Amino acid sequence: MTRAVTPKIPEPPLGDTSPEALAAEILSALKYRLGKDATVATDYDWLTASIKVVRDRIVDEWISSTKEAYDQSAKRVYYLSLEFLIGRLMRDAFSNLGLMDAMRQALASLGVEFDVIARLEPDAALGNGGLGRLAACFMESMATVDIPAHGYGIRYANGMFRQEIHDGWQVELPETWLEHGNPWEFERRERAFEVGFGGSVESITAPDGRLERHVWKPTDRVLAVAYDTPVVGWRGARVNTLRLWSGMPLDPILLDRFNAGDHIGALAESNKADALSRVLYPADSHKEGQELRLRQEYFFSTASLQDILQRHISKYGDLISLPDKAAIHLNDTHPAVAVPELMRLLMDVHGMDFDTSWDITRRTFAYTNHTLLPEALESWPVPLFERLLPRHMQIVYAINAEVLLEARATGRFNGEQISRISLIQENGERRVRMGNLAFAGSHSVNGVSALHTELMKETVFADLHSLYPDRINNKTNGITPRRWLIQCNPGLTGLAREAIGDRFLDDIEAIRELDGFAGDAAFRDKFAAVKRANKVRLSNLVAERLGIKVDPSALFDIQIKRIHEYKRQLLNIIEAVALYDQIRSHPEREWMPRVKFFGGKAAPSYHNAKLIIKLANDVARVINSDPSVRGLLKVVFVPNYNVSVAEILMPAADLSEQISTAGMEASGTGNMKFALNGALTIGTLDGANVEIKEHVGDDNIFIFGLTTEEVAQRRNSSYQPAAVIDGSPELKQAVAAISSGVFSPDDPARYRELMDGLYQHDWFMVAADFDSYAAAQRQVDTVWRDSPDWYARAIRNVARVGWFSSDRTIRQYAKEIWNVPA
Ligand code: 26V
């Protein structure tokens, strides 16, 4: 007799998602994973248990996403980035899986408030700014548009520093985000690769005297161990992997000796393995040429490549098909050493010849450039490169010979041009140019906005572009609408759903349908109410944390980004000072109340950036406490700007400050986040502002200042800032006030040099753009006064910037660079 087998009913991918079931699982996680019960659980325990419950649900889809890609022999994308500025993951994962409401209820039934534990989750701040945040948006979008992708980076024990403001000055403190463990990650002890440094290269010759191959014999060796974090796409579409490497000594007994180190410089000289993954270099577009940085770059590049090659070989047997099955993306030049490393692995380990290896390498890599600032273009002194990576130095020379041969063969380049194409900078100290190396080793080189891409062709890469005219292409940046609208602005999301339905949740460009509501008075009122609620939330936070009272009905004018002279926070502060002066000298005029918010970190070694932070705080103190201002102007510096702080500031903004010197901001992505949340932009024709203007329309953005060409012209034709300053009474007055110590009575000379810099060279054209900026600000006031008109413009901004979604950007990368379906 045969027994009837009850067919197994397949579980829905997420299992039972009722609040009751989730509550039971949370209790069980608390008990069996943390060894606690509800009576003794701390808020951190509830957080950890909740994450574990949701992570469990993710694992099935994760395994199946990975397996499916394997079974279908799908081409995979490998995104190599030294930075992933992720922020918190809980809201992201819960919301993308559609578990937000159920988890909220489940926790409430256990007496736990979701928002309270959500605030305890530390930000994963493994990045400095735009470049790192872009990598995080890309990871989420790749999972959303269903691309099998792996991010590769470093699991820094200390990510971006925590900024405190002491007496107006930035103080940097280490951020220990792993203090309470990281419930998202899976440690993969077995996924470990050896990484070598230093030593020498041996040439092996065949019996007939022919050179057979090179063998690198490194002296220092460490292990790179993988830690995996699942990345969930929208509606759980796919779960990809972010694999971060951690340094470990080859010999585990050494571990005890590793706990003492503290300072980057001291650690760099030692061969302590965990130094490699201890700190993120806290510099953004600012030179920090340290040996440890190059070690970090090689460490994560080789570990990632070894991992990729091992996966490829286990599936396909050999490496000839690598370019058909793997697209390896270099996020800036930080992983550019992967180019000679792949060459080394192909030639020295897998026995291929140079030509085949070079062909495979170039067809596999693609490179994105994120900045044209000369001081941020990476290059390494040849002696350092040679000492740490002697075999790679040889390979770089060999690649260079190949490239220069090709260039000379065209007969189109003179000596000067050839020297600019060279991977080695020869004048002065000899250095390896990482940009040229990445360019030469890739089949695609892209910029991050239309303007930036054109400037790449005309400036840094002009000669390489002439040699390889098909290589440079544009991929305008984007942001993930899940984090930057749906999660951070539930009020606006709800309002949009009411008005146009849910389609925009899956296809953000459908938010365009809101455009028709700009003329609808009832909708505008609701929109204004949502904005106000977001401003109230920010006001409460500022009152609580900084003791500053701001009026939510004032115009919220916000500039948040890394502090850098080219981003021109100084222009904004000087305008605040000028406005302060105007308000006091013309009390009869009808001033529109405004709050100027600033936020951002300065590189610890960047003197002027730190001074600008102090100035913002000094100006804030004076203006905020002056009764003659009658509350019409307030200045607030929000400390420790990070992803989570941005999530509160973006939805509360009326005005977005994007005021970099034209030609200097590669793209900007904050500009997109603000517009999507209903702020109007005041900005220069720089980076993606140009394209934002095209999308929102000239009437819905405030453009001012010199164009890129005009900046270049001025710089070339003896720009005289002193004459400009003397010719602008408002500017002159403001500069004089700052310079003479009005805002720094305790140290009147504090800003003398900073202001003298404006008089003497003003490289960033603060003076040249001041009058135009101030006029644009008064235009802002005029529009703000007509509130219905303002909100109509704000609604049009929301409706028209769906294109700046990282889903769109990623689809373009997929189609035009990686050749993968999306
Ligand atoms: C450079 C350096 C050089 C010294 C060591 C540390 C370090 C770290 C990062 C960088 C590169 C900074 C480049 C960067 O973040 N660029 C930004 O990229 C954004 C995304 O494409 C873009 O929106 C911003 O305009 C651009 O400034």
Side-chain angles (χ1 to χ4, degrees), residues 83 128-135 280-289 293 297 331-332 334 368-371 373 375-378 448 477 566-567 664-672 687:
E83 305 192 8
N128 277 288
L131 167 146
R133 183 54 233 175
L134 186 76
L280 164 76
Y281 270 83
D284 167 299
S285 333
H286 198 249
K287 217 154 238 166
E288 287 281 348
R293 169 82 179 184
E297 295 185 356
N331 194 27
D332 216 298
H334 315 152
T368 300
N369 172 278
H370 293 270
T371 180
L373 294 190
E375 66 269 30
L377 295 176
E378 274 191 306
V448 291
N477 283 166
Y566 85 82
K567 293 177 186 281
M664 304 198 78
E665 189 70 271
S667 163
T669 46
N671 46 5
M672 302 166 188

Side-chain angles (χ1 to χ4, degrees), residues 407-426:
R408 288 201 183 93
T410 66
R412 293 192 286 112
F413 300 101
N414 63 31
E416 217 173 277
Q417 291 165 318
I418 291 284
S419 78
R420 285 197 297 257
I421 288 172
S422 175
L423 309 196
I424 310 292
Q425 177 191 311
E426 304 277 1

Side-chain angles (χ1 to χ4, degrees), residues 72 277 563:
Q72 297 171 355
S277 47
I563 310 293

